[in-house]
Amino acid sequence: MSNRIRFGTDGWRAVIGREFTFDNLGRLARATVQWLKQSGSGHPGVLVGYDTRFMGREFAEHVAQVIAEEGATAILTASPTPTPAISWATHLLPQVNAGVVITASHNPPEYSGYKIKAKFGGSATQEMIEEVERLIPSHPSSSDAVDVGEVLERDITTEYVEYLKGKFDLKSMDLKVVHDPMYGAGRGILSTLLGDQFVTEIRGEINPGFGGRPPEPIERNLEELMLHVVQENAAIGIAHDGDADRIGIVDERGNVVTSHLVMALLAAHLHKQHKQNGAIVRTFATSAILEKMGAAWGLPVETYPIGFKYVAPRFLETHVLVGGEESGGIAVAGHIPERDGIYVALVLLEMLMQRGKPLTALVQELFDEFGPHAYYRSDVHTKKQPEIIAALRQTGGLRQIAGRKVQSMDTLDGFKHLMEDAWLLVRPSGTEPVLRIYAEAPTRKEAEELVEDTRVQFGLVG
């Protein structure tokens, strides 16, 4: 087995007890401190957080101890903490130079991971990650640091909740909300912010097995939330992934509102209600409705490969109104350059309060102006993934899908087949051994047909 550790679209992730071991975490912790020292931090401070995954606290304690052995100060969170809270605190606290989160985000329960957060309050840039990778020792080793640091503890979650209370007029929010933290680090936060009288929380206990499903807030994992929204007569259902940086939304009728439409709703709210301008920054698998909105409102729309690490730098380089990705990771103007499912949830609640209309009506307003847009995604576990990607590269892609002629191909990140009123993207996952097939069309049925026909053409049926 190779000892090389490589980061994916956001962090390093591996199966617990296989590649994800105390030894490998120690290698990463040493490399992180060495990167900070070579970047000019003589005695770095590193904030270390973790989510609710199996042995998250123990892994985080080990990382903190190794960081201290390397001559840095480690600040360990007192409890499972949302990743965006770590990013926020990394930016805010003067004694902290970087953050580390022990989390595999939305991946299945057998995985854990190691994310690095930069001082600017978001995911470390590609250049930073490459430098850390270069410094990872080939084997576990002991420290040769002369000055040993210390391990401190801090309740970052409580501090973050207090910060959010100061950002939003929460006393005026009297909507009925169902919150599904999916057994993750976001548990209890919306109830604390809004009050138990307005928030019904489901799947809020700690369960490292996540109920047998990946803690990913996508439609197939949200049946329970959809039912509770209808039963509770709630205005909205809000789901967060394992470390609460991603969000999933259910409308008052119990239907999932895709992350594409959530980005569109946020852009419309900030631009029209708050009179803000700025770029709409999206990743490759997001909706074409964002391009139409940008063109209509005179806002630039930028497209990057999949992974929020490509979005975050734009918040530092220009004014971004909304930035995000298909998987529910979204950031907005006026906050840290980081996906934050909790902050985005509060913006959406603010939108509902200010507009005084149900979520379905606000989505319909978008469709009335820019046409209907429906999305569908299929994740296929298959050993044929390498040969499918090789065939697409050799042939230049499919010529026709579900009766629609492919007009052009975009290979920015995968193989995106562009049709007159639809698109279909095929790409390998950057975090797990899965072939992802995405599609958008005027109706959900047409999007599903595009995906299913693609699976048939690839021999991925049955």
Side-chain angles (χ1 to χ4, degrees):
M1 183 180 297
S2 172
N3 285 325
R4 189 174 186 184
I5 294 176
R6 296 296 300 271
F7 282 63
T9 52
D10 186 14
W12 172 68
R13 303 177 198 186
V15 175
I16 299 169
R18 192 178 297 169
E19 294 88 5
F20 197 89
T21 62
F22 286 103
D23 281 347
N24 281 338
L25 282 174
R27 294 166 63 202
L28 282 168
R30 296 191 196 285
T32 301
V33 176
Q34 291 306 311
W35 159 61
L36 290 172
K37 288 183 175 181
Q38 291 187 13
S39 300
S41 302
H43 184 90
V46 182
L47 180 61
V48 182
Y50 56 97
D51 66 8
T52 57
R53 287 175 181 270
F54 177 66
M55 291 187 67
R57 173 75 185 190
E58 290 82 357
F59 287 135
E61 288 176 344
H62 180 69
V63 167
Q65 187 59 48
V66 173
I67 286 170
E69 291 173 3
E70 286 292 314
T73 297
I75 301 176
L76 181 66
T77 60
S79 61
T81 303
T83 287
I86 299 295
S87 296
W88 167 81
T90 297
H91 176 64
L92 179 72
L93 300 177
Q95 68 270 44
V96 171
N97 303 96
V100 165
V101 194
I102 304 303
T103 177
S105 189
H106 64 288
N107 284 78
E110 64 268 25
Y111 283 81
S112 194
Y114 185 100
K115 292 183 178 182
I116 299 176
K117 301 301 173 181
K119 183 60 183 175
F120 57 73
S123 295
T125 65
Q126 184 64 30
E127 292 75 20
M128 293 173 179
I129 293 300
E130 289 173 358
E131 187 62 20
V132 172
E133 287 179 335
R134 186 184 67 81
L135 293 168
I136 298 172
S138 58
H139 295 88
S141 58
S142 58
S143 173
D144 57 2
V146 176
D147 297 320
V148 176
E150 58 182 342
V151 178
L152 308 174
E153 189 171 289
R154 189 157 177 163
D155 187 353
I156 297 298
T157 298
T158 296
E159 294 181 41
Y160 191 57
V161 166
E162 289 304 310
Y163 159 76
L164 293 173
K165 287 180 180 178
K167 289 284 289 186
F168 295 90
D169 182 13
L170 300 176
K171 292 181 180 179
S172 69
M173 292 188 186
D174 58 357
L175 298 170
K176 182 65 176 175
V177 178
V178 180
H179 181 213
D180 181 5
M182 304 189 83
Y183 305 111
R187 53 194 293 271
I189 291 182
L190 288 187
S191 296
T192 301
L193 285 167
L194 303 175
D196 290 332
Q197 68 271 35
F198 297 118
V199 179
T200 299
E201 184 175 271
I202 63 172
R203 298 196 285 190
E205 65 272 24
I206 290 181
N207 180 344
F210 301 111
R213 289 186 174 186
E216 183 176 14
I218 57 177
E219 185 170 352
R220 65 172 176 265
N221 297 329
L222 298 180
E223 295 98 333
E224 190 173 347
L225 177 61
M226 296 159 73
L227 287 172
H228 272 81
V229 167
V230 175
Q231 291 171 358
E232 299 282 342
N233 195 29
I236 189 172
I238 298 169
H240 291 118
D241 68 337
D243 64 337
D245 61 356
R246 301 186 184 198
I247 191 169
I249 295 296
V250 171
D251 67 26
E252 78 279 5
R253 297 176 183 172
N255 298 314
V256 170
V257 180
T258 67
S259 59
H260 310 265
L261 294 176
V262 171
M263 284 185 65
L265 289 166
L266 290 167
H269 174 64
L270 295 174
H271 179 66
K272 291 187 172 183
Q273 264 55 58
H274 287 254
K275 308 303 180 185
Q276 295 186 38
N277 294 314
I280 298 174
V281 181
R282 61 177 196 149
T283 54
F284 197 46
T286 50
S287 175
I289 197 172
L290 298 171
E291 295 175 88
K292 296 178 181 179
M293 294 170 70
W297 299 339
L299 303 178
V301 178
E302 303 175 5
T303 304
Y304 294 94
I306 291 171
F308 199 81
K309 64 183 179 182
Y310 299 107
V311 175
R314 295 302 291 148
F315 279 86
L316 307 176
E317 297 159 355
T318 188
H319 182 69
V320 177
L321 188 67
V322 176
E325 54 186 349
E326 166 270 341
S327 58
I330 303 170
V332 295
H335 189 44
I336 53 176
E338 174 70 295
R339 295 174 294 194
D340 190 337
I342 297 166
Y343 191 95
V344 165
L346 295 176
V347 176
L348 291 171
L349 290 172
E350 175 190 76
M351 175 191 71
L352 290 174
M353 290 293 297
Q354 291 182 358
R355 295 299 307 281
K357 295 182 179 181
L359 195 51
T360 51
L362 297 179
V363 170
Q364 189 59 49
E365 285 182 358
L366 291 175
F367 290 166
D368 290 343
E369 187 171 359
F370 301 107
H373 290 71
Y375 168 82
Y376 183 68
R377 181 182 110 186
S378 177
D379 295 346
V380 186
H381 291 262
T382 175
K383 296 180 180 178
K384 297 174 64 176
Q385 182 195 99
E387 65 182 79
I388 290 172
I389 297 300
L392 286 168
R393 188 174 293 115
Q394 182 177 5
T395 63
L398 304 174
R399 299 291 179 262
Q400 184 168 297
I401 309 173
R404 281 180 164 85
K405 181 180 179 181
V406 176
Q407 297 178 335
S408 62
M409 175 75 73
D410 191 340
T411 57
L412 176 66
D413 187 355
F415 299 85
K416 193 171 189 178
H417 303 71
L418 303 174
M419 294 154 272
E420 182 177 355
D421 59 351
W423 56 263
L424 179 132
L425 171 64
V426 180
R427 66 180 290 275
S429 167
T431 60
E432 53 185 318
V434 168
L435 185 72
R436 301 200 193 281
I437 307 175
Y438 319 71
E440 184 176 56
T443 67
R444 169 66 177 260
K445 182 175 184 293
E446 290 171 294
E448 290 182 6
E449 288 172 350
L450 288 169
V451 170
E452 293 309 310
D453 185 55
T454 300
R455 291 184 58 144
V456 170
Q457 292 193 55
F458 289 155
L460 299 174
V461 294

